Amino acid sequence: MKFTPSSPNPQSIKIAGGRVIDPLSQRDEIADIYVVDGFIQRIVPVNDNSANTQDIHTDITINAEGKLVIPGAVDLCARLREPGQEYKGTIHSETQAAAAGGVTHLCCPPDTNPVIDSPAVAALIQERAHQSGYAHVLPIGAMTHDLEGTQLSEMHALQEAGCIGVAQLRNAIKDNRVLLRCLEYAATFDLTVFFQSVDLSLQGDGIVHESFTSTRLGLPGIPRSAETVALARDLLLVEQTGVTAHFGQLSCARSVEQIAAAQQRGLPVTADIAVHQLLFNDEAIDGFNSQYHVNPPFRSEIDRKALIDAIKSGVVTAITSDHQPHEVAAKSAPFAATEAGISSIETFLPMSFGLVRDGILSEQEWVTCIATTPASIIKIDAGKIAENSMANLSIFDPSAQWQLTPDALHSDGKNSPLLGKTISGRTCATIYNGRVVFQLS
Amino acid sequence: MSLAIPPHQLQLNEHGQLKHFLTTENLSTEILTEILDTAESFSSVGQQAVKKVPLLRGKTVVNLFFEASTRTRTTFELAAKRLSADVLNINISASATSKGESLMDMLWNLEAMDSDMFIVRHQDSGAPHFIASQVCPNVAIINAGDGRHAHPTQAMLDMYTIRKHKGDFRNLKVAIIGDITHSRVARSQVHALNGLQVGEVRVIGPKTLIPHDMEHLGAKVFYNMEQGLKDVDVVIMLRLQKERMNSALLPSEHEFYRLYGLTTEKLAFAKPDAIVMHPGPINRGVEIETAVADGPQSVILKQVNYGISVRMAVLSMAMSGQSTAITATSEAINGEHGA
């Protein structure tokens, strides 16, 4: 396995014989891609005999036969833990993990320490990411000062410092009037607001989905209404203010119904679902397995199926990793004392590709959910494969079988319920800004 | 991974014997009955001139209480001492964790002192399971109450009480009344009663105190005492924690007592020979009337006495099952080395 951080001097690369999939141009064909000086210079279908590629000099050839060549994934929610929680992960380690997972662009939520509520923190994160050179990190700013929910943050300054939106995450804004003002202020600058709708009073001391499983295990439950009640309020305030809104990591059938209803009445709202919500339901926590401790919690099988349906029907147009690396101790305690989250960025592509294997999505639709629409949601020029555009690509082998072990994860966080399991599908190489930043040997 | 093994499987060795005691859920009728029979055989030890049997001689039992308890801890201590074990009592207040020592480090230290058994009470559901699966798999772990999850020895002493006074479980109707949501005792009782094939299990309380999908757990839900107590043979009252009054679960003690408090009038809805039980400590005038608590149908004080022999049964069975498991493991290891 080889990592090479992206440097100012890009390489000349030929990606030979892969199945190139680009939803934006509706391309799905076997083709060679020539990358020169950071850009995709030519895309030549293999059966195009008229193409003359003699003039293109390449240093490196990557054989992509039998593999998918797709735009580098754009992940709308991945924790890097730096600054503040470097014992869980660093910008270097987690962007390296992103590269190994085929992710070239990722959004970093503002709950760092200090939180991303000042241009200095936003700049620091981008600078560190740039130095590491494995992936493009796009910070999301805090919507309120220190995420405390009382004082508006300097959203315009954050926007100028490179934040692609603002978020309050799962921190309370007790006063709905403050929330309303936040949305109005964000709308002033056309800043996208990233919601993770939760009513903390309804969540209470809950840690798992309120269900038969929570009753059996004696673990305090989180009712669906903790999400759906807050989501209803948030959608109405979005409608009132006209702010651009994205709803992240939904977990309930009723939530995606609400998003669909809002879209039907013309609200331009988008939504995503964390990849692990498509895999597991609330019964996974049996045996008090803290690797399945996530927030929002895994809900019922009915909810899980509704989330998949929402992706299939296009109500939800993005899948995120919701990557949350943790140190070992964070998961080694009685369930309620453990921290929520999964180190998931390296299994993001293979696990979401499961929807293709199960016949739910086409390859094109899968790429749309992990790269094309996420890029359009955050309004960046990525998530596509086109001549003269920046070369951000992932080469994915859908038939690879590999064992997930702690050593196989590049993330500092070894917390995954998939440890010890065989994973189908694997990222073989990742090209970021025209350089091979990861290649499986 | 061992982590994913549910408690009811983790607590059995390869011969299907108890090696830990974590929950009454999914335990076979045979094991549940064996616990009661073994307890019966210990019931006379307390009447002997020398109140000891040598079953746990030379074994070190650590009472590890992360939550305050007097009665449960004392009966466990007494049970272990009557089995001739060396007993260490450790009450861990919040201060131990504030010193920065993790739960795992503390347990490893105790294990390094060659402890054979931990009796664990912890505020987090699943804590004894975590210790048995992740920290000290070769120490017998006895659950003395974890969060809202389970309190299996309390449930077994209640089963013992019921069998003692009512005999065969199969024709009995048992009602559990009060705060089911926050009660580990209620959950363990429901599992044990169903495991012993009781005729019918009921829970009675307001919706704020009945957890989600309780029917699925194996209990019929009633919101009304008159309907819920009709034809019942056993009435089990639960302790109502005073702090619940302040968390919008109930309007007042007075209203709770009026609706669900066990008074002589309400007890009359049950069968005339119904027994009244309570895991204690009781709140007189909150969940139960003094006349009922001290009345002829009450077996509350007897429960405390039965608690010792039931805990002796569980301790001796788990120690024996754990020793078998360890012997089997070391034989397997030696076998591998030999080959």
Side-chain angles (χ1 to χ4, degrees):
Chain A
M1 218 160 302
K2 206 173 74 180
F3 284 99
T4 323
S6 178
S7 76
N9 309 311
Q11 303 154 321
S12 304
I13 311 156
K14 177 183 179 183
I15 303 162
R19 181 177 162 195
V20 179
I21 297 174
D22 177 50
L24 219 54
S25 61
Q26 298 282 302
R27 187 192 294 273
D28 185 353
E29 62 185 346
I30 311 291
D32 296 333
I33 295 181
Y34 293 86
V35 174
V36 178
D37 290 338
F39 289 87
I40 296 172
Q41 192 163 61
R42 294 281 291 281
I43 304 169
V44 182
V46 285
N47 52 11
D48 183 355
N49 298 321
S50 64
N52 182 2
T53 54
Q54 301 284 315
D55 56 319
I56 307 175
H57 167 78
T58 51
D59 309 314
I60 303 165
T61 300
I62 299 174
N63 180 4
E65 275 176 48
K67 293 166 185 142
L68 307 180
V69 180
I70 60 174
V74 180
D75 190 351
L76 294 178
C77 188
R79 256 82 176 183
L80 307 176
R81 304 300 194 193
E82 187 183 348
Q85 291 185 305
E86 287 82 355
Y87 55 95
K88 291 180 187 289
T90 61
I91 290 171
H92 188 84
S93 70
E94 302 317 300
T95 53
Q96 198 169 38
V103 175
T104 55
H105 295 72
L106 60 89
C107 298
C108 154
D111 54 352
T112 46
N113 184 17
V115 302
I116 310 176
D117 63 358
S118 71
V121 181
L124 172 88
I125 289 169
Q126 292 171 95
E127 176 57 27
R128 288 276 162 85
H130 186 70
Q131 283 165 3
S132 295
Y134 290 112
H136 197 132
V137 173
L138 303 132
I140 298 173
M143 192 155 72
T144 59
H145 177 71
D146 214 15
L147 290 172
E148 281 177 350
T150 46
Q151 174 74 39
L152 273 65
S153 67
E154 294 177 357
M155 295 183 206
H156 183 253
L158 289 169
Q159 186 178 33
E160 282 192 325
C163 291
I164 45 89
V166 289
Q168 183 64 15
L169 306 179
R170 296 183 177 276
N171 301 287
I173 296 183
K174 289 197 183 105
D175 186 340
N176 284 335
R177 199 173 172 82
V178 173
L179 175 58
L180 176 68
R181 297 293 178 243
C182 284
L183 302 187
E184 285 173 342
Y185 196 68
T188 312
F189 312 108
D190 199 21
L191 256 175
T192 303
V193 174
F194 288 78
F195 284 94
Q196 293 183 10
S197 299
V198 62
D199 184 315
L200 291 174
S201 60
L202 285 170
Q203 178 171 305
D205 60 354
I207 35 177
V208 299
H209 174 55
E210 184 177 81
S211 67
F212 173 59
T213 309
S214 68
T215 295
R216 254 190 72 221
L217 297 181
L219 291 169
I222 305 175
R224 292 185 183 89
S225 56
E227 179 169 303
T228 53
V229 167
L231 178 61
R233 174 201 61 186
D234 294 342
L235 280 167
L236 290 168
L237 291 177
V238 164
E239 189 165 15
Q240 180 179 333
T241 56
V243 73
T244 309
H246 176 78
F247 291 87
Q249 294 92 57
L250 299 176
S251 71
C252 306
R254 286 271 183 271
S255 300
V256 291
E257 280 175 21
Q258 286 190 56
I259 296 287
Q263 289 168 343
Q264 268 167 17
R265 61 176 194 267
L267 270 188
V269 292
T270 53
D272 72 62
I273 290 165
V275 63
H276 41 255
Q277 291 285 354
L278 307 173
L279 307 176
F280 306 113
N281 64 27
D282 64 313
E283 291 170 22
I285 59 167
D286 196 11
F288 296 101
N289 190 339
S290 63
Q291 298 294 354
Y292 293 96
H293 182 189
V294 290
N295 191 15
F298 293 127
R299 302 218 178 255
S300 73
E301 186 60 12
I302 292 167
D303 292 293
R304 189 184 76 90
K305 287 189 168 145
L307 297 180
I308 292 173
D309 287 345
I311 289 172
K312 189 176 168 59
S313 66
V315 168
V316 171
T317 50
I319 304 172
T320 59
S321 73
D322 196 14
H323 178 66
Q324 296 184 42
H326 283 297
E327 78 284 16
V328 173
K331 290 287 187 182
S332 300
F335 194 97
T338 59
E339 293 180 54
I342 296 174
S343 176
S344 55
I345 205 160
E346 289 167 82
T347 46
F348 172 38
L349 262 56
M351 298 331 280
S352 56
F353 191 78
L355 296 179
V356 179
R357 265 195 307 275
D358 295 343
I360 293 159
L361 297 183
S362 68
E363 282 90 346
Q364 288 255 358
E365 290 166 330
W366 170 61
V367 173
T368 304
C369 287
I370 60 163
T372 316
T373 13
S376 74
I377 287 166
I378 56 175
K379 301 168 191 155
I380 59 166
D381 186 23
K384 62 180 181 183
I385 300 178
E387 288 180 357
N388 301 319
S389 71
M390 207 67 179
N392 289 301
L393 304 164
S394 167
I395 300 167
F396 182 76
D397 182 355
S399 56
Q401 299 267 320
W402 56 296
Q403 194 83 21
L404 191 71
T405 60
D407 288 343
L409 285 172
H410 302 88
S411 166
D412 280 353
K414 311 298 182 188
N415 50 303
S416 170
L418 300 167
L419 282 180
K421 304 216 162 106
T422 302
I423 311 288
S424 298
R426 190 171 200 179
T427 301
C428 308
T430 304
I431 291 150
Y432 166 54
N433 282 356
R435 280 185 73 91
V436 182
V437 288
F438 169 76
Q439 191 167 13
L440 207 59
S441 49
Chain B
M1 287 199 307
S2 58
L3 195 64
I5 302 174
H8 61 269
Q9 288 169 22
L10 186 72
Q11 65 187 351
L12 301 179
N13 68 16
E14 68 278 18
H15 305 296
Q17 302 159 328
L18 285 180
K19 61 172 177 171
H20 306 293
F21 192 46
L22 306 175
T23 176
T24 50
E25 185 183 8
N26 289 340
L27 274 184
S28 66
T29 314
E30 290 71 35
I31 288 193
L32 292 168
T33 309
E34 189 189 345
I35 294 171
L36 300 182
D37 292 344
T38 311
E40 191 78 56
S41 74
F42 286 133
S43 61
S44 57
V45 174
Q47 274 81 58
Q48 292 170 13
V50 178
K51 298 187 177 86
K52 270 190 197 294
V53 286
L55 284 171
L56 258 57
R57 190 158 60 196
K59 301 287 186 190
T60 306
V61 173
V62 184
N63 254 329
L64 211 52
F65 277 59
F66 294 85
E67 235 182 35
S69 156
T70 313
R71 287 203 308 183
T72 306
R73 194 188 56 70
T74 325
T75 51
F76 265 116
E77 184 178 351
L78 214 48
K81 283 183 169 163
R82 287 194 181 165
L83 291 164
S84 313
D86 296 316
V87 183
L88 196 63
N89 286 314
I90 302 181
N91 292 319
I92 302 120
S93 57
S95 67
T97 35
S98 69
K99 281 179 196 158
E101 186 179 19
S102 82
L103 175 61
M104 288 175 95
D105 286 330
M106 175 190 299
L107 293 164
W108 279 328
N109 274 294
L110 288 166
E111 193 184 19
M113 296 170 198
D114 297 320
S115 304
D116 300 287
M117 178 178 275
F118 292 159
I119 296 164
V120 182
R121 169 169 287 194
H122 199 283
Q123 63 278 8
D124 285 333
S125 298
H129 174 264
F130 167 71
I131 295 166
S133 62
Q134 300 282 290
V135 194
C136 307
N138 294 324
V139 174
I141 308 296
I142 308 297
N143 185 357
D146 63 325
R148 306 175 185 179
H149 172 238
H151 194 350
T153 58
Q154 175 68 44
M156 289 316 294
L157 81 85
D158 295 332
M159 298 308 110
Y160 186 87
T161 310
I162 294 171
R163 191 171 82 163
K164 198 93 182 153
H165 293 267
K166 289 283 160 197
D168 192 358
F169 285 94
R170 278 170 296 185
N171 301 318
L172 299 180
K173 288 188 174 69
V174 180
I176 307 167
I177 296 131
D179 182 1
I180 312 292
T181 293
H182 301 91
S183 175
R184 53 195 173 211
V185 175
R187 284 173 176 80
S188 286
Q189 285 168 339
V190 170
H191 292 311
L193 287 165
N194 282 303
L196 289 162
Q197 300 170 331
V198 82
E200 189 177 308
V201 188
R202 300 173 180 181
V203 294
I204 312 173
K207 283 191 177 188
T208 48
L209 299 180
I210 305 277
H212 193 90
D213 218 356
M214 192 62 203
E215 304 263 355
H216 197 162
L217 204 72
K220 274 180 106 167
V221 178
F222 290 84
Y223 305 115
N224 172 293
M225 285 286 265
E226 182 169 359
Q227 291 162 9
L229 286 178
K230 189 171 159 41
D231 297 331
V232 154
D233 302 278
V234 179
V235 183
I236 303 176
M237 298 305 296
L238 297 174
R239 177 178 165 78
L240 187 78
Q241 306 279 350
K242 298 256 184 191
E243 62 263 29
R244 306 289 175 229
M245 294 298 167
N246 305 323
S247 51
L249 288 162
L250 292 170
S252 67
E253 282 184 6
H254 175 255
E255 175 136 319
F256 180 79
Y257 183 69
R258 199 167 57 79
L259 292 171
Y260 301 102
L262 191 65
T263 55
T264 314
E265 296 76 48
K266 290 202 201 89
L267 183 57
F269 297 132
K271 281 192 184 163
D273 62 345
I275 55 168
V276 174
M277 295 165 58
H278 192 301
I282 57 177
N283 290 319
R284 290 164 191 268
V286 177
E287 69 253 352
I288 192 163
E289 187 183 56
T290 294
V292 174
D294 304 335
Q297 288 170 267
S298 166
V299 294
I300 295 170
L301 275 179
K302 288 183 176 147
Q303 287 176 265
V304 181
N305 180 260
Y306 300 149
I308 299 165
S309 48
V310 168
R311 286 178 174 124
M312 285 172 75
V314 170
L315 299 190
S316 60
M317 285 169 70
M319 191 70 92
S320 154
Q322 182 67 236
S323 304
T324 314
I326 292 171
T327 313
T329 315
S330 59
E331 274 170 6
I333 292 166
N334 291 335
E336 276 168 31
H337 284 272

